[in-house]
């Protein structure tokens, strides 16, 4: 099941400080961040915080932070955090390090704009509302990013865990989450799925490997018996899907690994473009820390994907 990033990081305490008897998670936060976190820098005047992307909303759950490159006409990535659909925040800090903000600074310093977003959480809203929040952020970026010197024709979605599932839904099924009937969302150029969860909720082998169907039923059963099919992005793949980069960690639990492989295979089977990368030596949580490091596989691979995925995808129609 998808797990809160903070909980996973803290649960990794014993593995990091195994030889330190009775050491607490406060020690882990200091040691773990020192080992895995590498701070990226960006001038403060290139960072804009807490912009509302939903017209008429003052909710902190519908805001984004913008990280702006110094040049012009740059592509932009919308980052969607994980957290099991019921937790998570763009302002996540672990051991004093702002994990998601660091992703924004890293990519912006390398010529890629980033919008790190919040979205409303369950159980206050249902999963479709969460996907609609992501769609609203896409629409806002498309309408406003040129004001900040970005290229509205080169919007990418990137999500981790639950965020990867929501990003995939919006990219593959934009007519479901369009803000106005008959007015589908602008197409995204590409999608980066990082350790995605709930990509195929109908896969029996995923549950045989240890996932609990009750966990997902609680989060996705909202419209009757077909909730597994409706909530699975894999069912909305067509040959017109945007290109995907699918990453997962070698140290993740097998159900997570299987979900990413299934999704990548389905994209290729349906005539889409997808590249699968296994990030060695990482876990479901630690992979996030590698996104903002040049000396690890994930960050450079994402930069290469953005650089080489240049042609805008065709617009979706009803």
């Amino acid at each position: 099941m998808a797990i809160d990033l903070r909980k996973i990081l803290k649960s990794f305490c014993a593995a990091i400080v195994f030889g330190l008897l009775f050491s607490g998670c406060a020690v882990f936060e200091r040691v773990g961040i020192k080992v895995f976190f590498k701070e990226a820098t960006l001038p403060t005047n290139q960072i804009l915080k807490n912009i509302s992307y939903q017209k008429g909303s003052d909710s902190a759950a519908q805001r984004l932070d913008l990280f702006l490159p110094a040049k012009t006409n740059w592509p932009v990535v919308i980052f969607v955090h994980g957290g099991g659909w019921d937790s998570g925040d763009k302002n996540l800090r672990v051991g004093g390090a702002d994990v998601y903000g660091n992703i924004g600074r890293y990519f912006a310093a390398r010529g890629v704009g980033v919008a790190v977003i919040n979205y409303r959480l369950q159980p206050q809203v249902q999963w479709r509302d969460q996907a609609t929040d992501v769609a609203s952020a896409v629409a806002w970026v498309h309408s406003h990013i040129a004001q900040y010197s970005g290229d509205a024709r080169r919007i990418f979605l990137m999500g981790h865990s639950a965020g990867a599932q929501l990003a995939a839904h919006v990219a593959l099924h934009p007519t479901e989450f369009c803000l106005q009937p008959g007015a589908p969302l602008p197409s995204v150029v590409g999608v980066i799925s990082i350790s995605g969860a709930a990509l195929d909720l109908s896969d029996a082998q995923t549950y045989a490997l240890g996932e609990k169907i009750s966990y997902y039923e609680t989060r996705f059963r909202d419209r009757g018996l077909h909730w597994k099919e409706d909530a699975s992005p894999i069912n909305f793949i067509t040959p017109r899907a945007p290109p995907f980069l699918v990453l997962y960690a070698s140290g993740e639990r097998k159900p997570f690994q299987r979900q990413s492989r299934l999704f990548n295979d389905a994209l290729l089977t349906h005539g889409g473009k997808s590249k699968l990368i296994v990030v060695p030596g990482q876990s479901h949580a630690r992979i996030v820390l590698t996104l903002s490091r040049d000396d690890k596989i994930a960050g450079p691979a994402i930069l290469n994907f953005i650089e080489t995925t240049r042609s805008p995808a065709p617009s979706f129609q009803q």
Side-chain angles (χ1 to χ4, degrees):
M1 64 182 178
I3 305 174
D4 188 318
L5 175 62
R6 183 181 293 274
K7 293 178 182 177
I8 302 176
L9 285 170
K10 288 187 175 182
S11 70
F12 190 66
C13 177
I16 295 293
V17 293
F18 180 74
L20 303 177
L21 295 178
F22 305 109
S23 58
C25 286
V27 173
F28 159 71
E29 289 189 344
R30 293 194 299 270
V31 176
I33 288 299
K34 182 177 180 180
V35 171
F36 298 112
F37 182 83
K38 185 175 182 180
E39 185 171 2
T41 60
L42 191 72
T44 56
N45 65 348
Q46 292 171 226
I47 303 172
L48 304 175
K49 305 281 283 188
N50 291 318
I51 300 171
S52 176
Y53 61 76
Q54 181 62 58
K55 186 176 181 180
S57 172
D58 292 327
S59 172
Q62 294 174 310
R63 295 180 185 176
L64 58 81
D65 296 340
L66 275 181
F67 298 82
L68 310 175
K71 63 178 186 177
T72 60
N73 295 320
W74 31 263
V76 59
V77 170
I78 299 169
F79 180 80
V80 189
H81 68 74
W85 298 273
D86 60 4
S87 64
D89 191 280
K90 66 180 176 63
N91 300 310
L92 172 70
R93 301 189 74 88
V94 179
D98 59 335
V99 176
Y100 300 141
N102 204 54
I103 294 170
R105 294 192 300 273
Y106 172 85
F107 283 98
R110 288 155 181 78
V112 177
V114 180
V116 180
I117 74 167
N118 268 346
Y119 53 91
R120 291 171 294 170
L121 300 175
Q122 297 186 29
Q124 286 73 28
V125 298
Q126 296 180 335
W127 73 269
R128 296 174 198 271
D129 302 309
Q130 297 179 297
T132 298
D133 281 353
V134 176
S136 295
V138 172
W140 186 93
V141 168
H142 183 264
S143 296
H144 294 88
I145 206 64
Q147 300 173 19
Y148 304 95
S149 300
D151 187 349
R153 300 168 301 174
R154 297 187 64 202
I155 298 173
F156 292 78
L157 272 168
M158 176 164 64
H160 171 249
S161 193
Q165 189 244 16
L166 295 173
H169 265 299
V170 172
L172 295 173
H173 201 194
T175 55
E176 172 72 13
F177 305 107
C178 61
L179 307 182
Q180 298 178 356
L185 286 171
S187 296
V188 297
V189 176
V191 185
I192 302 105
S193 174
I194 303 161
S195 299
L199 300 173
D200 184 359
L201 289 163
S202 297
D203 179 59
Q205 185 62 25
T206 296
Y207 302 114
L209 288 170
E211 288 297 78
K212 295 186 181 302
I213 193 170
S214 59
Y215 177 88
Y216 295 102
E217 186 170 12
T218 298
R219 284 154 177 77
F220 297 111
R221 185 165 188 164
D222 62 343
R223 294 185 184 176
L225 297 177
H226 300 291
W227 62 272
K228 288 183 286 187
E229 293 79 8
D230 292 345
S232 298
I234 200 169
N235 291 328
F236 302 99
I237 295 173
T238 72
R240 301 179 70 187
F244 272 74
L245 177 63
V246 180
L247 303 98
Y248 71 85
S250 64
E252 291 193 78
R253 295 172 56 246
K254 292 187 182 300
F256 280 121
Q257 296 187 31
R258 179 171 174 79
Q259 285 287 296
S260 288
R261 292 196 303 268
L262 284 173
F263 194 71
N264 175 74
D265 290 348
L267 285 160
L268 297 176
T269 298
H270 286 81
K273 295 180 180 180
S274 183
K275 182 176 182 180
L276 180 67
I277 294 179
V278 181
V279 180
Q282 304 303 325
S283 68
H284 187 72
R286 293 198 313 271
I287 193 173
V288 177
L289 300 178
T290 73
L291 304 184
S292 50
R293 295 186 60 153
D294 284 328
D295 60 343
K296 302 295 182 181
I297 288 177
I302 293 168
L303 284 168
N304 181 67
F305 176 73
I306 294 169
E307 175 64 25
T308 56
T309 308
R310 289 190 167 274
S311 300
S315 296
F316 285 84
Q317 301 295 330
Q318 289 274 26

